[in-house]
């Protein structure tokens, strides 16, 4: 009997064997099921969203696309096929010079800046990108009872509330049901622009009010393109961090989306000994100086670190206060991962971090 060995079988079994020897699982069968399931998922193309919209009482946005079902495929829903087929690829968009700028007073810009900085969708933008968002917004006055967006319509604008009260309505079995109310704050309309889908809800003004709107093209170029650039930049950074090289591409992309950029000037204390841990830091640009404080307040230098290194993980792993001070040497840019995301996104790397932290503890104690 001639047996033909399938292509890739040798590599697959070799990688599995290495994983077994490395992890030393208690139950080989359970480990095998988990290993090959992940291996299969890693081969599938993944459409990872640029943002994960977290809806809360202050900023509900539109309901998710599963919150409603069209009653039929004819009528107004049938006209929306072109929207769903229209795709925006930020990697292919090289035109950065056609942004529309709407003039505003200093008072309007100041008020809008405060509003925009509090919106989840814009929190990861660089300062210059935030200013682009503000430049691209135009003012829209609304009257009581006016429909701002209608369920099933094409997504044309994204809206930020300056003032006024607005009801969010969803068509359920032919009857509009109120599912949320904005009261002088919040934003809506992003999902239809991000996911090329019809409006998933109706938003109607209850009182007179003022909205700031941004058109579809400006929204995509500023928000989606900046998200793409941020992800690509952080993916490259994470690939250069040795302990993160065992993450698969999907895990690395998810981690990149969770990182937030922070900038420190020369001498700034990034973390202070004794503080509660808030997250872990990856050095993006520049150098940092690490010191240990003695009981009399004197500080001893214990090292310098630069790009592609990380710090702040020890306090998270041991659930203890910070054991060292970290200062910026010159201008330093870091990518920050919040504590809540640490265990969830860096689970595969925690054991390696623990081993590294033990070496660090031995070094400090000697």
């Amino acid at each position: 009997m001639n047996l033909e060995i399938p292509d890739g079988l040798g590599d697959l079994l070799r990688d599995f064997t290495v994983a077994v020897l490395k992890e030393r699982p208690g139950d080989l069968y359970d480990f095998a099921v988990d290993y090959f399931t992940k291996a299969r998922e890693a081969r599938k193309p993944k459409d990872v969203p640029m943002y994960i919209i977290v809806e809360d009482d202050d900023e509900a946005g539109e309901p998710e696309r599963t919150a409603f079902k069209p009653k039929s495929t004819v009528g107004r829903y049938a006209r929306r096929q072109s929207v769903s087929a229209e795709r925006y690829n930020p990697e292919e968009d090289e035109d950065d010079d056609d942004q529309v700028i709407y003039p505003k007073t200093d008072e309007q810009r100041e008020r809008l800046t405060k509003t925009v900085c509090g919106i989840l969708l814009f929190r990861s933008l660089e300062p210059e990108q935030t200013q682009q968002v503000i430049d691209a917004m135009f003012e829209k006055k609304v009257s009581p009872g006016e429909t701002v967006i209608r369920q099933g319509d094409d997504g044309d604008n994204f809206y930020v509330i300056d003032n006024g009260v607005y009801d969010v309505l969803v068509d359920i079995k032919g009857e509009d049901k109120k599912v949320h109310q904005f009261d002088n704050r919040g934003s809506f309309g992003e999902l239809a622009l991000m996911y090329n889908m019809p409006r998933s809800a109706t938003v109607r003004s209850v009182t007179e009010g003022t909205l700031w709107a941004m058109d579809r093209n400006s929204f995509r170029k500023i928000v989606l393109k900046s998200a793409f650039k941020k992800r690509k930049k952080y993916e490259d950074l994470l690939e250069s961090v040795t302990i993160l090289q065992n993450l698969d591409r999907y895990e690395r992309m998810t981690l990149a989306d969770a990182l937030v950029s922070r900038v420190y000037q020369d001498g700034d204390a990034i973390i202070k000994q004794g503080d509660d841990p808030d997250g872990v830091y990856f050095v993006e640009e520049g150098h940092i100086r690490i010191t240990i404080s003695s009981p009399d307040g004197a500080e001893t230098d214990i090292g310098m670190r630069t790009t592609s290194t990380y710090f702040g993980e020890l306090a998270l792993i041991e659930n203890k206060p910070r054991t060292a001070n970290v200062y910026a040497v010159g201008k330093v840019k870091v990518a920050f991962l919040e504590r809540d995301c640490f265990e969830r996104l860096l689970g595969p790397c925690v054991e390696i971090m623990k081993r590294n932290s033990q070496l660090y503890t031995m070094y400090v104690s000697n």
Side-chain angles (χ1 to χ4, degrees), residues 271-274 289-293 299 323-327:
I271 62 176
K272 293 289 290 182
Q273 186 172 333
R289 179 170 64 94
I290 306 171
T291 71
I292 296 290
S293 298
E299 293 188 35
T323 57
N325 309 292
V326 176
Y327 297 98

Side-chain angles (χ1 to χ4, degrees), residues 141-193:
K141 299 287 187 180
V142 295
S143 305
E146 182 177 342
T147 297
V148 183
I149 64 175
R150 189 183 303 277
Q151 181 174 332
D153 281 357
D154 292 348
D156 51 357
N157 296 320
F158 166 73
Y159 296 94
V160 173
I161 297 171
D162 192 346
N163 56 68
V165 179
Y166 304 82
D167 284 342
V168 181
L169 310 167
V170 173
D171 184 346
I172 300 178
K173 296 182 178 179
E175 183 177 345
D176 284 342
K177 179 181 178 181
K178 187 169 85 171
V179 297
H180 184 75
Q181 185 177 83
F182 293 106
D183 188 354
N184 287 288
R185 62 181 300 180
S187 60
F188 57 89
E190 74 282 355
L191 295 183
L193 305 187

Side-chain angles (χ1 to χ4, degrees), residues 1 27 86 96 104 168 229 260 300 325 345 347 355 361:
M1 176 187 290
D27 190 311
E86 178 188 341
D96 294 318
K104 299 172 182 66
V168 181
K229 288 181 176 179
V260 178
T300 303
N325 309 292
L345 297 179
R355 291 197 292 270
T361 303

Side-chain angles (χ1 to χ4, degrees), residues 118-150:
I119 296 175
L120 175 66
L121 193 63
F122 301 130
R123 287 178 190 168
S124 63
L125 296 182
E126 302 285 350
E128 60 270 20
Q129 293 165 339
T130 301
Q131 291 306 309
Q132 290 177 354
V133 168
I134 294 169
D135 287 339
M137 287 186 168
F138 59 92
E139 191 177 44
K140 175 179 173 63
K141 299 287 187 180
V142 295
S143 305
E146 182 177 342
T147 297
V148 183
I149 64 175
R150 189 183 303 277

Side-chain angles (χ1 to χ4, degrees), residues 7-249:
D7 291 339
L9 178 60
D11 291 338
L12 181 64
L13 294 178
R14 180 200 62 202
D15 292 344
F16 173 68
T17 303
V18 170
V20 169
L21 295 175
K22 181 180 178 182
E23 300 294 334
R24 298 182 182 276
D27 190 311
L28 184 60
Y29 291 94
D30 287 344
F31 180 80
V33 170
D34 184 61
Y35 177 88
F36 288 112
T37 299
K38 288 182 178 179
R40 181 181 61 184
E41 291 301 316
R43 295 178 65 246
K44 296 180 180 179
K46 292 183 171 66
D47 183 15
V48 184
M50 289 294 180
Y51 286 91
I52 299 173
I53 304 300
V54 179
E55 299 184 357
D56 54 36
D57 290 339
D58 294 326
E59 189 180 329
E62 292 180 49
E64 293 291 348
R65 67 186 92 181
T66 55
F68 78 100
K69 294 181 179 179
K71 290 174 287 186
S72 70
T73 58
V74 297
R76 61 179 180 173
Y77 292 102
R79 298 197 305 269
R80 310 304 170 190
Q81 296 301 317
S82 60
V83 176
S84 297
E86 178 188 341
R87 302 295 297 177
Y88 173 70
N89 187 345
E91 191 170 15
E92 296 177 355
D93 185 1
E94 299 178 354
D95 189 359
D96 294 318
D97 301 323
D98 60 348
Q99 182 185 341
V100 178
I101 298 178
Y102 294 92
K104 299 172 182 66
T105 65
D106 292 340
E107 189 274 334
Q108 286 176 323
R109 293 189 69 87
E110 182 179 356
R111 192 171 73 249
L112 188 53
T113 299
K114 291 180 180 178
T115 301
V116 165
C117 289
I119 296 175
L120 175 66
L121 193 63
F122 301 130
R123 287 178 190 168
S124 63
L125 296 182
E126 302 285 350
E128 60 270 20
Q129 293 165 339
T130 301
Q131 291 306 309
Q132 290 177 354
V133 168
I134 294 169
D135 287 339
M137 287 186 168
F138 59 92
E139 191 177 44
K140 175 179 173 63
K141 299 287 187 180
V142 295
S143 305
E146 182 177 342
T147 297
V148 183
I149 64 175
R150 189 183 303 277
Q151 181 174 332
D153 281 357
D154 292 348
D156 51 357
N157 296 320
F158 166 73
Y159 296 94
V160 173
I161 297 171
D162 192 346
N163 56 68
V165 179
Y166 304 82
D167 284 342
V168 181
L169 310 167
V170 173
D171 184 346
I172 300 178
K173 296 182 178 179
E175 183 177 345
D176 284 342
K177 179 181 178 181
K178 187 169 85 171
V179 297
H180 184 75
Q181 185 177 83
F182 293 106
D183 188 354
N184 287 288
R185 62 181 300 180
S187 60
F188 57 89
E190 74 282 355
L191 295 183
L193 305 187
M194 291 173 67
Y195 299 120
N196 297 294
M197 56 179 281
R199 297 293 193 188
S200 57
T202 295
V203 175
R204 187 172 297 143
S205 61
V206 179
T207 65
E208 288 188 351
T210 303
L211 299 168
W212 290 99
M214 179 166 37
D215 67 82
R216 171 195 291 266
N217 289 335
S218 297
F219 179 88
R220 288 177 170 182
K221 285 181 177 294
I222 299 172
V223 180
L224 299 187
K225 190 171 182 179
S226 67
F228 170 80
K229 288 181 176 179
K230 168 182 174 285
R231 170 186 284 175
K232 185 66 173 66
K233 177 182 69 174
Y234 284 151
E235 277 191 88
D236 293 341
L237 171 66
L238 296 174
E239 284 180 357
S240 67
V241 178
T242 303
I243 66 159
L244 302 182
Q245 290 178 355
N246 65 325
L247 296 179
D248 62 34
R249 183 170 178 268

